[in-house]
Amino acid sequence: MAFDFSDIVEEARISARALMDFSEHLFNPTVRLGITGLSRAGKTVFITALVHGLTRGGRFPVFEPLAAGRIARARLEPQPDDAVPRFDYERHLHALIDERSWPNSTIDISELRLVIDYQRLSGADRTLTLDIVDYPGEWLLDLPLLHKSYEQWSNESLALSRGSARRPLASAWHAHLTGLDATATADEQDALAAAKLFTDYLRACRDERFAMSLLPPGRFLMPGNLAGSPALTFAPLDVPQDGGAPDGSLWAMMRRRYQAYKEVVVRPFFRDHFARLDRQVVLVDALAAFNSGPDALLDLEAALSGILDCFRIGRGTILNALFRPRIDRILFAATKADHLHHSSHDRLEAVLRRAVNRAVLRAEDTGATIDVVALAALRATREAQITRGRENLASILGTPIKGEKADSETFDGNTEVATFPGELPDDPQTLFNGERAFSGLSGPTPDKADFRFLRFRPPPLAREGTEDLMLPHIRLDRALQFLIGDKLQ
Ligand SMILES: Nc1nc2c(ncn2[C@@H]2O[C@H](COP(=O)(O)OP(=O)(O)OP(=O)(O)O)[C@@H](O)[C@H]2O)c(=O)[nH]1
Ligand SMILES: [Mg+2]
């Protein structure tokens, strides 16, 4: 791809920033850890549990530096970037522990600095600064747009929307599109109507019944302070990939706004946040995708390969070649594993690994080490064996959130119930083929399993003596060991 002057200026900026970060990190070793995932994937709970575990000495047997007693202290400190909101750790923790409710949805980027005093394996005392950056996965999936023309993006979006799973959701938008002449004089009302119908279609795809993942542009679903601005008032048009837009046409207007979106939204995110990360966690609500069937799973896989593509952006270009690639570890984590019996945790991991591996094959080498884990940042359930007649059923116990329904029962938010988690198949491939549709999770009886309709409250926690309160989790320590274990050796 040819680079124009603004690309070179942009690269110079990114490189200057990298040099500044680098010299600062020489004196003060710092890891910038990005935590991302689509909306409701579990980012806020993950960060809160991780920070709580590190600062209060959580039960993390697989996180070697802590288990070996080499971490003297971990504390919060003011974050380095003044223009980024602080991750509201205290409020989220209060919700989880004191109110036993899940934190509210967060729609913006936020940041938190954790400083860890530790002893090296050699015995020397050292300090590691961990800057945790929480940002919506929808923004990450926008990065591939940087290298796509409006016409290319239009064609890809249309092709995607014509697939069998999405077509019914796109019918109103498609019908509007048929009546539009891209080369006719630009009309604001046409642009508004197209953008609205296109956004409705994206929103429908995201609905938990369909659980699609690949839905750029990200700000169409999370507009923040850009709601209603021209940079969000565009949509794909049925135009040729290599055609030229006539001056003053609807096509030219859409194309200009698409470019504006990239300049105002995508590029600043890449420069100010993404390009500065050292390590990345991508949280995935894989269970939601399984529940929606093979189409959602294939869509998730396409999103994963889109994500992997992001880690190559900027590589091999002139100025960045002077600097080592920044992101050297990527962890894909399937969240909410506590909705499954532990016998299925390895299987959950296997399905995600399978999806990631196929995505890795499609994306070229990212230059980073990749790992996959199934976890629950805050375990809301316990396990029990329940006897029904002669059958011994592995079940999970938890308190469904007030108003949750299963079968004909509506829960009051205080009663603990036993439910039967669905079983994942031995062979992950069957989920992709749709040979065996996944029957769902956590139903009142094994045949009624469907986890989407049953969400549990955070667990009740009791302080043991004078000990600090611990948050129960599944494999959070394994995630930590992969993410920062080597930095604390
Ligand atoms: N059982 C269980 N549920 C979880 C866990 N983590 C997250 N959840 C559920 O997932 C929902 C979303 O979690 P959040 O951490 O708020 O997700 P997020 O990615 O920050 O979501 P947004 O801020 O909306 O983008 C929560 O409200 C819980 O219902 C977990 O470890 N166990
Ligand atoms: Mg959040």
Side-chain angles (χ1 to χ4, degrees), residues 39-40 42-45 87 92 103-108 134:
S39 108
R40 310 318 285 151
K43 304 176 287 292
T44 305
V45 176
F87 179 85
H92 300 318
N104 289 333
S105 210
T106 44
I107 48 168
D108 204 351
D134 169 1

Side-chain angles (χ1 to χ4, degrees), residues 37-46 102-107 134 136 138 222 283 285 335-339 375-381 401 455-456:
L38 297 177
S39 108
R40 310 318 285 151
K43 304 176 287 292
T44 305
V45 176
F46 180 87
W102 299 103
N104 289 333
S105 210
T106 44
I107 48 168
D134 169 1
E138 287 80 357
M222 313 180 96
L283 300 176
D285 190 347
T335 53
K336 313 179 195 178
D338 55 336
H339 283 251
L375 57 79
L378 180 58
R379 180 176 195 153
T381 64
I401 290 175
R455 289 176 306 137
F456 298 104

Side-chain angles (χ1 to χ4, degrees), residues 183-409:
T183 55
T185 309
D187 178 83
E188 185 64 41
Q189 293 311 315
D190 284 343
L192 278 170
K196 182 184 174 302
L197 290 166
F198 177 59
T199 310
D200 289 348
Y201 147 72
L202 294 177
R203 197 169 290 125
C205 290
R206 197 182 56 179
D207 184 285
E208 62 179 355
R209 279 170 300 153
F210 308 106
M212 298 289 174
S213 308
L214 196 56
L215 306 165
R219 301 295 161 104
F220 277 44
L221 295 179
M222 313 180 96
N225 56 6
L226 286 176
S229 74
L232 297 194
T233 314
F234 63 94
L237 287 173
D238 209 348
V239 290
Q241 283 248 16
D242 46 7
D247 281 346
S249 63
L250 181 66
W251 179 358
M253 180 163 92
M254 294 287 201
R255 176 199 269 177
R256 198 174 57 242
R257 290 178 174 185
Y258 172 80
Q259 293 299 348
Y261 182 82
K262 294 206 289 184
E263 293 308 320
V264 179
V265 174
V266 189
R267 222 183 256 284
F269 166 68
F270 180 72
R271 180 186 63 219
D272 299 336
H273 302 295
F274 186 74
R276 298 173 64 207
L277 297 175
D278 300 300
R279 299 206 162 162
Q280 178 67 57
V281 185
V282 181
L283 300 176
V284 180
D285 190 347
L287 293 174
F290 300 168
N291 264 316
S292 296
D295 284 321
L297 204 53
L298 292 173
D299 205 77
L300 173 64
E301 199 182 329
L304 292 176
S305 85
I307 287 173
L308 285 167
D309 273 336
C310 301
F311 295 101
R312 293 186 304 114
I313 290 176
R315 283 200 189 169
T317 50
I318 324 153
L319 285 163
N320 276 340
L322 298 172
F323 299 92
R324 65 176 176 78
R326 294 236 7 192
I327 294 187
D328 60 352
R329 287 192 182 206
I330 309 170
L331 178 69
F332 289 96
T335 53
K336 313 179 195 178
D338 55 336
H339 283 251
L340 290 169
H341 192 259
H342 73 263
S343 50
S344 281
H345 293 165
D346 284 342
R347 293 179 183 181
L348 177 59
E349 223 164 86
V351 184
L352 186 60
R353 193 177 298 278
R354 170 101 201 178
V356 168
N357 281 346
R358 299 207 316 190
V360 167
L361 287 180
R362 243 184 294 153
E364 284 165 43
D365 184 23
T366 56
T369 311
I370 297 175
D371 201 4
V372 173
V373 65
L375 57 79
L378 180 58
R379 180 176 195 153
T381 64
R382 295 173 292 127
E383 293 184 354
Q385 291 290 331
I386 289 195
T387 319
R388 279 266 167 100
R390 259 184 280 152
E391 255 188 314
N392 223 353
L393 296 167
S395 56
I396 53 174
L397 300 175
T399 315
I401 290 175
K402 186 172 182 206
E404 287 289 293
K405 292 191 182 84
D407 220 3
S408 54
E409 194 172 353

